[in-house]
Amino acid sequence: MRGGGGAGQGADDGEFLAGYDPRDFPAIAVTVDIVVLTLREGVLHLLLVERGGRPFHGAWALPGGFVRAGRESLDAAAARELAEETGLDAADLDRVHLEQLGSYGEPGRDPRMPVVTVAYLAFAPDLPEARGGGDASAAAWVPVSALDLGARRTTAADAVEPQATEPDAARMRPPEQGPGHGIDGGGSVPRPAAAEAPPTPLPLAFDHARIVTDGLDRARAKIEYTPLATAFLGAEFTIVELRGVYESIWGSPLHAGNFHRKVLSVPGFVESTGATAARGGARGGPRARLYRAGDARLLHPALLRPDREDDVR
């Protein structure tokens, strides 16, 4: 039996690697895709990009791209793609909550070659206007309610024949679209922005509808038992603003008094700043108190969704 000495093991590894040919195995690529959520005027929005190159030219998809193999980690690739599509610099990225959502590797999900994508979930307050980067010709913040998340997954056949007969002006486009530029994807052609929201629900390329659905489910669940709802708000906020986050993500109205009581009863969820809002409510009355995120990592008791606990309403 060969001993476990480091020198002998290193020599064996060197001999093995000298004759190792990675081409003996099928090629596979790794990408990252990011479900980026933020609140814009109290409405939950998702960041989408319009693909400037093939496959799925002109289709809307999640921001993302290929991992620079051997040069960056998965987390670094996700942060890079997020910065390219939002214009956030390294300092601004520190205020973005970014976590791995899951991996997706169904055969045929990408018509070019076997591709496994590692999806991320990101959210933060006051994210800037979207801009196209990489192989995206445009980018937009799209209300989640405008998405067609129940549509069939776009197939390889759709990618090969991407509705060539459809006029460009008739292609569905989200609102708030910004000009883009191809950095390292090639083949992207910037197009002018569209002013109006799509008249019908917006389908997504690849299997991104499934990824978005998983991301929304994760966000809805995490704000039940963690204080991550505060990541959608600024450093100081009112309980009314915090309730708006829950209502937007859960898609359900909440009883104001019950919500206020529950939030303040959870240790470490929020803490008072001792200050009040600059202005009173729409109906007058005293100005609302301001709070900041507390030091809790988990909420106990949890704030359950209305369909899971009626008295949250």
Side-chain angles (χ1 to χ4, degrees):
M1 179 180 294
R2 187 182 302 275
Q9 185 67 43
D12 291 345
D13 286 348
E15 182 179 349
F16 165 75
L17 293 173
Y20 182 82
D21 189 350
R23 293 172 296 181
D24 291 339
F25 300 92
I28 188 169
V30 178
T31 61
V32 292
D33 289 300
I34 315 169
V35 179
V36 189
L37 301 173
T38 196
L39 293 178
R40 300 173 70 84
E41 298 182 356
V43 176
L44 186 63
H45 280 65
L46 172 73
L47 179 62
L48 292 179
V49 298
E50 185 182 28
R51 290 185 56 80
R54 300 186 188 279
F56 308 113
H57 178 262
W60 290 90
L62 292 171
F66 287 92
V67 176
R68 294 170 178 170
R71 292 189 288 161
E72 64 182 356
S73 66
L74 292 171
D75 289 356
R80 171 177 55 80
E81 291 289 345
L82 180 59
E84 288 179 0
E85 307 297 354
T86 62
L88 294 173
D89 58 26
D92 289 331
L93 284 174
D94 288 341
R95 65 185 179 89
V96 178
H97 175 80
L98 183 66
E99 66 176 65
Q100 273 195 25
L101 174 63
S103 55
Y104 301 80
E106 180 183 356
R109 64 173 301 275
D110 191 309
R112 292 167 291 190
M113 64 181 297
V115 176
V116 172
T117 192
V118 178
Y120 282 76
L121 176 64
F123 42 83
D126 303 322
L127 289 176
E129 293 298 327
R131 69 182 192 185
D135 62 355
S137 61
W141 288 108
V142 183
V144 169
S145 60
L147 302 176
D148 182 6
L149 300 180
R152 66 177 178 87
R153 182 177 65 85
T154 309
T155 65
D158 296 324
V160 175
E161 301 292 340
Q163 299 178 334
T165 60
E166 183 181 0
D168 184 72
R171 186 178 292 117
M172 290 181 292
R173 296 173 179 272
E176 304 176 52
Q177 184 170 295
H181 46 84
I183 296 178
D184 50 20
S188 61
V189 180
R191 289 209 285 265
E196 298 182 356
T200 57
L202 188 72
L204 301 179
F206 300 103
D207 53 356
H208 288 184
R210 175 190 172 191
I211 297 174
V212 171
T213 298
D214 290 349
L216 291 172
D217 287 345
R218 170 76 66 84
R220 289 167 182 148
K222 291 206 75 167
I223 64 173
E224 287 187 305
Y225 62 88
T226 76
L228 285 176
T230 60
F232 285 90
L233 299 169
E236 297 183 349
F237 50 85
T238 66
I239 299 297
V240 171
E241 291 170 334
L242 182 61
R243 189 177 83 242
V245 174
Y246 278 89
E247 290 179 334
S248 297
I249 296 175
W250 284 347
S252 300
L254 302 176
H255 186 280
N258 286 352
F259 180 84
H260 192 282
R261 173 180 54 81
K262 283 179 172 290
V263 167
L264 296 186
S265 69
V266 178
F269 187 4
V270 298
E271 59 184 33
S272 176
T273 66
T276 57
R279 291 181 296 180
R283 299 181 179 180
R287 293 181 293 181
R289 295 180 180 178
L290 291 175
Y291 294 83
R292 64 171 68 94
D295 58 3
R297 294 295 177 263
L298 294 174
L299 303 184
H300 184 73
L303 274 70
L304 300 182
R305 277 170 277 183
D307 58 351
R308 296 181 60 185
E309 183 175 308
D310 290 341
D311 67 355
V312 176
R313 292 184 183 274

